[in-house]
Amino acid sequence: MSIRHGLLALLEHGPRYGSQLRTEFESRTGSTWPLNVGQVYTTLGRLERDGLVSQGGADGAGHPLYAITDAGRAELRTWFERPVDRSSPARDELAIKLAMAVGAPGVDIREVIQAQRRHTVKAMQDYTRLKAQALTALEDGGPRERDDVAWLLVLEQLIFQTEAEARWLDHCESRLIRLSATAPAAPATAHPAAPATASEPGAGAGVRRGPGAGVGAGDGGGGSGGAAGGGAEGRGR
Amino acid sequence: MSTPLAAQPVLRLQKLTRVHGSGATEVHALRGIDLDVHPGELVAVMGPSGSGKSTLLTIAGGLDSPTSGQVVVEGTDITTAGAKELAALRRRSIGYVFQDYNLIPALTAAENVALPRELDGTSARKARGEALAALEEMGLGHLADRFPDEMSGGQQQRVAIARALVGDRRLVLADEPTGALDSETGESVLALLRTRCDAGAAGVLVTHEPRFAAWADRVVFLRDGAIVDQTVRSEADSLLTGRVAEA
Ligand SMILES: Nc1ncnc2c1ncn2[C@@H]1O[C@H](COP(=O)(O)OP(=O)(O)O)[C@@H](O)[C@H]1O
Ligand SMILES: [Mg+2]
């Protein structure tokens, strides 16, 4: 995590002391990634060791001040210019969970997906409410406009990220439905509870077909979502 | 009604079912929906294609009848209301926004927006005044005298939304209102719906876009004609506590 670079960026605006850096970091990013003062001082210590900041003087209240060095400025420039590495993806617990849920005995993968979808959409609702507040603050033209803009960008990043997750979950679900609908083992007719949607492979009822049909995944049944996963497996990609 | 107004939902759906067709072609579009929408509340309905979202919305607005169950709008059961009463309720209390905008091609933007008010007996002058105000609110004041075919899709959709919101409707029903809009215009539409609900209207928004659903107080998930799950309202400070405390 680039606390290092975050602190350098703040120090480029002039010398600061530790807890001031912490406050500024948090108001830029809306406390999304809270820092404690200990982390700030540890990081400042390393930056000083690497010659990227130097300690000098104190403010009126006696707080020791840190300043960015020329080497620190160069490091900061490089950071802004260099794209953030995406070539070695961070471990994602949800992706791992769904990968493990495919065909797992006693696991209804559609329930796993729906529980996550609810949670993810809920998080988006919360972020969106905060975003509406941030937009209002910006329109009202508060004194901390730069912080408000920064906070808005961070919030929107969270919204886009959760949106991508929600879309991916939708995609997983319809992918599983499609695979179970076309799996060779699946009977040609739909479950009697959903006769009319049988002609619509995209409709939710489709998942009721397949080896475990008889328990609607959406009704809290334990078997049929697993069947959807089983269908995917049975297809032998 | 004996219940206090604030406690009474603007829209109440009870044990709602809808079967399209019969025999071999029978489709159970809705299978026992219960849903209350209160004043000030915006509810989003999400679900895969064919899950019954549009059916739910057209029945809630009195444009289609349920096979069984009740639809109560502002205390009136519209499934048993007379044709006249239903027509009046539809004009006065309910605003719709559809996927396709349904503007009348021979009328200007302002005339389209003013039409439901005039039908409701508002004087032409007053109706035009309200229409212009609603268009202004959507940032469309300058388009008041254009005809639908002289506007972009996004502009037409915003005119349709102005029409749904004009004259203080208590219940706003929107079916994929952001469908044809770019993401920023879509967002402004949602912000507007949100504002209307904050001012006391009840709203139901059908969308498959999680980013737009996230503007709602509650998100209801529909699957195969049944509500399978929903989010519950929370205070925003369950997340990002520091910032909220400060705000
Ligand atoms: N007029 C109709 N006649 C027959 N079937 C219909 C009619 N309208 C909708 N349906 C069916 O009812 C189900 C729900 O449709 P709809 O409410 O449009 O879903 P959504 O809006 O979620 O895509 C679908 O299976 C659809 O094919
Ligand atoms: Mg629809």
Side-chain angles (χ1 to χ4, degrees), chain A residues 4-12 47-48 50-54 67-80:
Chain A
R4 269 166 80 82
H5 294 107
L7 298 188
L8 285 177
L10 293 171
L11 286 172
E12 208 184 19
L47 287 169
E48 191 176 13
D50 297 342
L52 304 177
V53 306
S54 62
I68 192 167
T69 62
D70 286 342
R73 274 191 197 90
E75 170 68 22
L76 185 61
R77 285 281 87 72
T78 311
W79 182 59
F80 278 127

Side-chain angles (χ1 to χ4, degrees), chain B residues 126-193:
Chain B
K126 184 155 184 280
R128 182 169 170 89
E130 288 176 358
L132 291 177
L135 286 169
E136 204 63 58
E137 200 177 339
M138 294 298 299
L140 297 171
H142 60 294
L143 298 177
D145 295 319
R146 292 231 196 136
F147 291 92
D149 66 2
E150 298 167 342
M151 292 183 278
S152 74
Q155 290 169 336
Q156 289 183 53
Q157 183 61 311
R158 282 186 289 161
V159 170
I161 287 158
R163 182 186 55 188
L165 297 176
V166 74
D168 203 24
R169 295 331 149 73
R170 296 277 296 156
L171 178 60
V172 180
L173 305 171
D175 193 347
E176 302 278 4
T178 54
L181 307 182
D182 62 68
S183 113
E184 206 173 320
T185 314
E187 181 128 299
S188 69
V189 164
L190 258 302
L192 195 83
L193 264 183

Side-chain angles (χ1 to χ4, degrees), chain A residues 149-221:
Chain A
V149 171
W151 164 231
L152 186 64
L153 295 185
V154 169
L155 271 176
E156 287 181 325
Q157 194 266 352
L158 294 170
I159 290 169
F160 276 103
Q161 214 175 346
T162 41
E163 179 188 25
E165 188 168 288
R167 283 171 174 277
W168 176 64
L169 289 167
D170 287 349
H171 174 82
C172 288
E173 184 168 5
S174 52
R175 163 83 70 205
L176 289 169
I177 289 168
R178 213 168 316 135
L179 289 173
S180 73
T182 55
T189 52
H191 184 264
T197 39
S199 58
E200 268 197 321
V207 82
R208 292 168 191 235
R209 287 180 266 178
V215 187
D219 309 328

Side-chain angles (χ1 to χ4, degrees), chain B residues 6-89:
Chain B
Q8 185 193 327
V10 177
L11 173 68
R12 163 162 282 181
L13 306 179
Q14 274 184 312
K15 299 199 174 69
L16 205 64
T17 73
R18 176 65 165 108
V19 182
H20 290 296
S22 62
T25 61
E26 195 171 89
V27 178
H28 290 258
L30 298 177
R31 306 166 184 261
I33 300 284
D34 291 308
L35 181 68
D36 281 359
V37 187
H38 289 90
E41 195 181 22
L42 177 60
V43 173
V45 178
M46 299 191 77
S49 170
S51 58
K53 305 182 296 293
S54 295
T55 304
L56 188 155
L57 214 67
T58 48
I59 291 178
L63 300 173
D64 181 20
S65 302
T67 303
S68 66
Q70 281 193 322
V71 181
V72 183
V73 177
E74 296 258 71
T76 302
D77 183 348
I78 66 174
T79 57
T80 55
K84 257 190 159 157
E85 199 184 351
L86 174 60
L89 195 71

Side-chain angles (χ1 to χ4, degrees), chain A residues 30-31 130 133 151, chain B residues 236-247:
Chain A
S31 305
L130 293 172
Q133 285 172 16
W151 164 231
Chain B
D237 48 350
S238 63
L239 279 159
L240 309 181
T241 41
R243 179 71 187 201
V244 175
E246 188 190 326

Side-chain angles (χ1 to χ4, degrees), chain A residues 27 30-32 110-111 114 117-118 121-133 144 148 151 155-156 158-160 163 166-167 170 173 193-194 196 200 202-205 208 217-218, chain B residues 24-28 31 46 48-50 183 187 208-219 221 223-224 228-244 246-247:
Chain A
S27 57
S31 305
T32 309
R110 285 189 80 187
E111 287 303 315
Q114 178 54 34
R117 176 161 38 218
R118 184 198 329 116
V121 169
K122 174 92 161 17
M124 287 184 76
Q125 287 175 267
D126 290 342
Y127 295 145
T128 303
R129 205 143 48 219
L130 293 172
K131 171 179 160 171
Q133 285 172 16
R144 301 185 313 160
D148 287 332
W151 164 231
L155 271 176
E156 287 181 325
L158 294 170
I159 290 169
F160 276 103
E163 179 188 25
R167 283 171 174 277
D170 287 349
E173 184 168 5
E200 268 197 321
R208 292 168 191 235
Chain B
T25 61
E26 195 171 89
V27 178
H28 290 258
R31 306 166 184 261
M46 299 191 77
S49 170
S183 113
E187 181 128 299
H208 65 276
E209 295 268 4
R211 190 153 32 92
F212 295 134
W215 285 82
D217 298 300
R218 192 148 57 96
V219 180
F221 299 93
R223 194 195 284 165
D224 303 341
V228 293
D229 203 358
Q230 56 182 299
T231 63
V232 286
R233 185 174 187 151
S234 72
E235 290 315 310
D237 48 350
S238 63
L239 279 159
L240 309 181
T241 41
R243 179 71 187 201
V244 175
E246 188 190 326

